[in-house]
Amino acid sequence: MQAKNKHKGFTKVALVGSGLILGLMLSLTYSAVAEKMTKQQFPIDDLRAFAEVFGKIKSDYVEPVEDKKLISEAISGMLTGLDPHSTYMDPDAFKDMQAATQGEFGGLGIEVGMEDGLVKVVSPIEDSPAFAAGIKSGDLIMKLDDTPVKGLSLNDAVKRMRGKPDTSIVLTVLRKNEPKPLTFTLVRAIIKNKSVKYKMTEPGYAYARVTQFQEHTGEDLAKAIKTMHDENKGPFKGFVLDLRNDPGGLLNGAVGVSAAFLPKDTLVVYTEGRAADSKMKLTVNAENYVSSSTTSAYMKKNNLNPNNPLSYSRAIADNDYINDLPDDLKTVPMVVLINAGSASASEIVAGALQDHKRATLIGIRSFGKGSVQTIMPMNNGAAIKLTTARYFTPKGRSIQAKGIDPDYIVDDGTDQSYNIHEADLTGHLSNPKDPQAGVAKKSDATTPAKEAAKDKLNEKKYAEPAGPIEPTSKEDLQFAQAMNFLKGKPVVVAPPAKVEAAKVDAPADK
């Protein structure tokens, strides 16, 4: 999300991506912090306790510890204790995350968080070394080469996974339902994450996949649509938008993608938080999706004053990539594919198109991350990522810890037991519309007999494929059902293995 203050001449970037995908944000100044603190009760006693602990560590810890390390770890702990998505980034981590929003960065290509002292994989990034090696959402990384992860901070673990391209690292991974740890040897690479992939799957039917919401995702999708429209030589018969395993990213990209299919001024998402500038309504309006770098480059090229509202408006209007899209895109029959790896910005797009009855959703329940993170650079070159708002779909739904349910539930035919959701993360925010969302209930439990029957069936029916399912391939059951829907054929809401599972379950309950 990019919310621009034309009078003060700065740009804010908010993030709705999971893991470690981040962007640039307005910096905090010491004076601003001091001003806020004067309006609140200063926690003198608590700060005295902090100083006392700091002093004890400096004088009595078994080895000398640098002040910088202690302060950094204290800040990190303060943020990570809030929720799973607030965190502290040292200067190196901040630079890497800025690069990530531009679509290129170095490493293994894994979105990660921390769970019980281990690094938890939120999602492997498509086309990355981690994705190719078979790292899965929900995997717990317990060792990096010969170094145990227990005792490392998330930043320390991420630093160890980063490195020069073409160097290797061995990950030891705990995976649900696997009797012993798995080992993966990954070769680091420059991750060039192509945000939008597309093709005409057959005459008249267009397919676009968004792998991650970056600064120029909306523009990239618009270019892809024009290319496919020219190739088709006429209006589409159907359109499939694939948001599966898309962990999110920049909210302006989500608004831009939604804008391609919704009428002008339609509400896409609104946000609510404590700070005044965290309360926004984002509609299909170019100011809400044209990237700040695009407008800045345009104004510089044309010698326009960036502080002049008229110049700013001209730059926005001249770079509105939605204006050039074909008219039939607003009415073409449409399916959006989602799964448990569809998070944040993906859920915003899916929720907006579902609320406005613009698209039919097919797949399984989404991840359920309904919060917005703001990146605040610090004076020392580091930054903090702070949860500042919750977002809501146009009809007022909060997907926080709940997710979005598709119109047709179709899984991909593989074992879904390793999937994780926002509700599985320790310390996740509650859902303001449904406080019980994400809370385990007794009715969720199953009998031992039923679990045994399912396990036996899974051994037979859910053998892991040799690699990730290729989107739009013959093995892609969800895409096949999307095409069935667009062609007016019946949608098979469960693969054959699931139907057989129901038969196995029935006797177990008797």
Side-chain angles (χ1 to χ4, degrees):
M1 167 183 55
Q2 295 186 335
K4 300 175 179 65
N5 186 318
K6 291 180 271 189
H7 302 293
K8 295 184 179 179
F10 59 72
T11 300
K12 289 187 176 182
V13 176
L15 296 153
V16 287
S18 59
L20 295 176
I21 295 182
L22 303 171
L24 186 63
M25 182 55 195
L26 176 68
S27 63
L28 286 177
T29 63
Y30 291 126
S31 59
V33 175
E35 182 181 352
K36 287 187 177 182
M37 289 303 294
T38 59
K39 297 178 181 179
Q40 303 171 7
Q41 183 177 357
F42 205 80
I44 298 295
D45 292 340
D46 294 327
L47 289 175
R48 282 178 179 152
F50 174 82
E52 185 177 358
V53 172
F54 185 91
K56 290 293 184 183
I57 294 173
K58 291 294 292 181
S59 63
D60 296 351
Y61 187 65
V62 65
E63 294 177 347
V65 185
E66 292 182 357
D67 292 350
K68 183 177 181 180
K69 175 177 174 58
L70 285 177
I71 295 298
S72 177
E73 294 295 337
I75 295 172
S76 178
M78 182 164 52
L79 287 160
T80 56
L82 297 174
D83 64 70
H85 307 293
S86 294
T87 189
Y88 174 72
M89 296 165 284
D90 63 24
D92 289 338
F94 183 34
K95 288 177 184 178
D96 284 348
M97 291 168 192
Q98 287 176 284
T101 62
Q102 300 297 323
E104 182 174 321
F105 56 100
L108 304 177
I110 316 175
E111 300 292 332
V112 296
M114 210 74 177
E115 184 81 6
D116 297 328
L118 300 178
V119 172
K120 190 165 192 174
V121 177
V122 174
S123 178
I125 296 172
E126 193 167 327
D127 296 333
S128 69
F131 185 85
I135 298 294
K136 294 182 177 181
S137 172
D139 283 350
L140 292 170
I141 301 173
M142 60 179 292
K143 285 178 68 176
L144 302 170
D145 285 329
D146 294 326
T147 303
V149 171
K150 280 279 190 181
L152 296 178
S153 69
L154 182 58
N155 281 340
D156 288 338
V158 169
K159 282 182 181 179
R160 289 178 180 271
M161 287 188 280
R162 289 199 303 255
K164 293 182 179 180
D166 299 324
T167 60
S168 63
I169 183 172
V170 177
L171 306 186
T172 304
V173 169
L174 297 175
R175 178 174 293 170
K176 187 176 180 179
N177 296 333
E178 290 289 346
K180 59 183 180 179
L182 307 175
T183 57
F184 298 86
T185 300
L186 279 65
V187 178
R188 298 179 179 92
I190 296 297
I191 309 300
K192 294 184 178 180
N193 189 12
K194 191 174 182 180
S195 178
V196 178
K197 301 180 179 182
Y198 62 94
K199 64 179 178 179
M200 295 296 298
T201 57
E202 57 183 86
Y205 293 92
Y207 168 88
R209 172 169 170 73
V210 180
T211 63
Q212 177 186 325
F213 287 88
Q214 301 169 356
E215 188 174 4
H216 299 289
T217 295
E219 296 172 66
D220 292 342
L221 178 63
K223 292 175 183 176
I225 290 169
K226 292 174 189 175
T227 299
M228 289 189 289
H229 208 266
D230 291 342
E231 180 183 339
N232 193 54
K233 298 179 180 179
F236 299 129
K237 295 179 182 178
F239 197 104
V240 177
L241 178 63
D242 191 349
L243 300 179
R244 293 173 296 179
N245 297 317
D246 183 331
L250 297 178
L251 187 46
N252 75 309
V255 176
V257 169
S258 302
F261 306 100
L262 294 172
K264 186 175 175 58
D265 296 326
T266 300
L267 179 63
V268 175
V269 63
Y270 68 92
T271 64
E272 292 183 355
R274 292 173 62 203
D277 58 1
S278 67
K279 298 178 175 67
M280 289 179 289
K281 289 187 176 181
L282 300 178
T283 61
V284 178
N285 186 299
E287 286 196 6
N288 295 324
Y289 54 78
V290 174
S291 73
S292 59
S293 64
T294 298
T295 55
S296 296
Y298 179 90
M299 287 189 283
K300 184 176 182 180
K301 179 180 179 180
N302 292 279
N303 296 316
L304 299 176
N305 181 358
N307 295 316
N308 186 323
L310 293 178
S311 297
Y312 176 79
S313 297
R314 174 186 165 185
I316 289 289
D318 288 352
N319 289 281
D320 185 356
Y321 49 83
I322 298 299
N323 281 341
D324 298 331
L325 292 179
D327 293 337
D328 62 283
L329 204 65
K330 305 293 185 182
T331 56
V332 61
M334 184 177 180
V335 168
V336 176
L337 295 176
I338 60 172
N339 65 5
S342 305
S344 275
S346 302
E347 294 170 295
I348 285 173
V349 175
L353 296 177
Q354 187 180 52
D355 276 7
H356 291 299
K357 301 186 183 303
R358 179 62 193 87
T360 297
L361 272 55
I362 291 178
I364 61 175
R365 181 166 56 91
S366 62
F367 183 78
K369 180 178 178 294
S371 61
V372 179
Q373 282 66 49
T374 300
I375 308 307
M376 303 177 178
M378 313 302 289
N379 288 343
N380 64 352
I384 64 172
K385 178 177 70 160
L386 187 67
T387 299
T388 54
R390 288 181 173 91
Y391 68 77
F392 300 83
T393 70
K395 288 189 175 180
R397 290 186 293 165
S398 170
I399 60 90
Q400 175 60 27
K402 192 172 185 178
I404 288 179
D405 291 316
D407 300 297
Y408 292 91
I409 299 175
V410 179
D411 72 30
D412 63 8
T414 61
D415 185 1
Q416 303 294 320
S417 64
Y418 59 81
N419 286 339
I420 61 170
H421 293 81
E422 174 80 5
D424 299 320
L425 302 180
T426 302
H428 66 266
L429 291 176
S430 63
N431 185 306
K433 301 285 186 177
D434 183 5
Q436 294 303 310
V439 177
K441 301 175 182 178
K442 291 183 179 180
S443 59
D444 294 336
T446 56
T447 65
K450 180 184 289 188
E451 286 298 326
K454 286 183 178 180
D455 289 343
K456 185 174 182 180
L457 182 71
N458 286 341
E459 289 176 8
K460 179 180 178 182
K461 296 291 184 180
Y462 285 129
E464 288 294 336
I469 294 175
E470 180 67 24
T472 75
S473 68
K474 291 181 179 180
E475 291 75 29
D476 190 347
L477 302 178
Q478 293 165 332
F479 172 75
Q481 300 314 311
M483 293 299 290
N484 279 349
F485 178 85
L486 292 174
K487 294 178 179 180
K489 299 179 180 179
V491 175
V492 180
V493 297
K498 286 295 185 183
V499 175
E500 190 167 343
K503 295 177 182 178
V504 173
D505 285 347
D509 288 333
K510 293 180 180 178

